[in-house]
Amino acid sequence: MKIIKNIIPFCAILFAVVPCSCSVSENTVLSEATSEQQTISPFQIILAETAPSEEEAAQSRGKKESELYHSLENNDATGEIKQVSGENLKLIDFTDCSIAALDNYGVKIYERLSDEKTKEFIDCITDAEISPEEYGELPKFVGGTLREFQIVLNTSEIIYIGTWEFEDTHLIIINGEHGYTCDKESLYQIRECYQEIYKRFVEKAWQQ
């Protein structure tokens, strides 16, 4: 009995210490969390409140691109379309021709190729490995065309050049209607040229 009497005060002290230590630990965590919160500056809070949402940013970008698009030069070419096969494309006289990259509808001109780029483009076409036989029926595109580039010859005749790739099919498209298989490297150069021009259009829209 004497031993039990001596143990009871010791247990009472032990149980009193444990809750205290837990309380201290919880207070420490709360203190650290409060300290972390206090490190957020008012400037950061203002930025978080004023930063546009993704939807607002997309709307702003779309508005800028729309404004720039409507300011682009209209495609007013009225020359006769020159009918040519893939095999005879490289036989065309491209002397003093001009080339323009068109929008998806052929209404606006994104950019006219410089003399240097025009030469590179014509060299690409004349060096391309184009099938003499037409591919067949092309896919139908809603709200767009396969006329990426417009070549105006010195005779005022027009030839449209586009590309189409799907899985293992690689086609050069002439006048938006006739497809011919073409080597991948030549198609890549044509597509890369177009993508670079469109990229400059988008970058210019953001600079406004």
Side-chain angles (χ1 to χ4, degrees), residues 155-174:
T155 59
S156 296
E157 294 173 298
I158 298 172
I159 299 175
Y160 292 98
I161 298 295
T163 61
W164 184 68
E165 294 184 88
F166 179 73
E167 295 181 348
D168 294 330
T169 304
H170 311 280
L171 304 178
I172 186 169
I173 311 299
I174 301 177

Side-chain angles (χ1 to χ4, degrees), residues 28 31 46 57 65 68 75 81 88 112 143-144 159 162 167 179 195:
T28 303
S31 176
I46 292 173
E65 288 188 10
L68 179 58
N75 179 24
I81 295 179
N88 293 328
R112 292 187 181 276
I159 299 175
E167 295 181 348
Q195 289 170 2

Side-chain angles (χ1 to χ4, degrees), residues 33-191:
T34 304
S35 176
E36 289 180 0
Q37 292 176 355
Q38 290 175 348
T39 59
I40 301 176
S41 68
F43 180 69
Q44 289 174 306
I45 295 174
I46 292 173
L47 284 178
E49 291 177 349
T50 59
S53 65
E54 291 184 7
E55 182 179 354
E56 290 173 336
Q59 290 177 348
S60 174
R61 177 175 179 174
K63 182 179 179 181
K64 289 179 180 179
E65 288 188 10
S66 177
E67 290 173 350
L68 179 58
Y69 174 81
H70 285 92
S71 70
L72 292 175
E73 177 185 356
N74 289 326
N75 179 24
D76 296 324
T78 56
E80 182 181 350
I81 295 179
K82 185 174 182 62
Q83 300 299 333
V84 59
S85 67
E87 186 177 25
N88 293 328
L89 181 63
K90 57 185 64 182
L91 301 177
I92 296 294
D93 181 10
F94 292 108
T95 304
D96 297 330
C97 71
S98 64
I99 303 177
L102 305 180
D103 75 303
N104 288 334
Y105 307 96
V107 176
K108 293 283 187 175
I109 295 175
Y110 280 135
E111 187 177 303
R112 292 187 181 276
L113 272 62
S114 65
D115 291 343
E116 181 181 356
K117 286 294 183 181
T118 295
K119 183 180 183 308
E120 290 179 6
F121 191 92
I122 298 305
D123 287 344
C124 176
I125 291 177
T126 54
D127 293 339
E129 298 176 5
I130 303 174
S131 170
E133 298 181 1
E134 192 167 347
Y135 173 75
E137 186 175 357
L138 297 177
K140 301 296 182 182
F141 289 88
V142 178
T145 71
L146 290 169
R147 302 180 179 189
E148 298 170 348
F149 291 94
Q150 175 183 269
I151 304 175
V152 180
L153 304 175
N154 56 20
T155 59
S156 296
E157 294 173 298
I158 298 172
I159 299 175
Y160 292 98
I161 298 295
T163 61
W164 184 68
E165 294 184 88
F166 179 73
E167 295 181 348
D168 294 330
T169 304
H170 311 280
L171 304 178
I172 186 169
I173 311 299
I174 301 177
N175 295 331
E177 299 176 351
H178 309 285
Y180 299 85
T181 57
C182 182
D183 64 287
K184 292 174 62 175
E185 184 178 350
S186 297
L187 282 188
Y188 174 79
Q189 291 181 36
I190 295 173
R191 293 178 69 88

Side-chain angles (χ1 to χ4, degrees), residues 61 65 197-207:
R61 177 175 179 174
E65 288 188 10
I197 289 172
Y198 181 73
K199 182 180 178 182
R200 283 195 289 272
F201 165 77
V202 174
E203 290 175 347
K204 188 176 180 181
W206 273 104
Q207 289 171 1

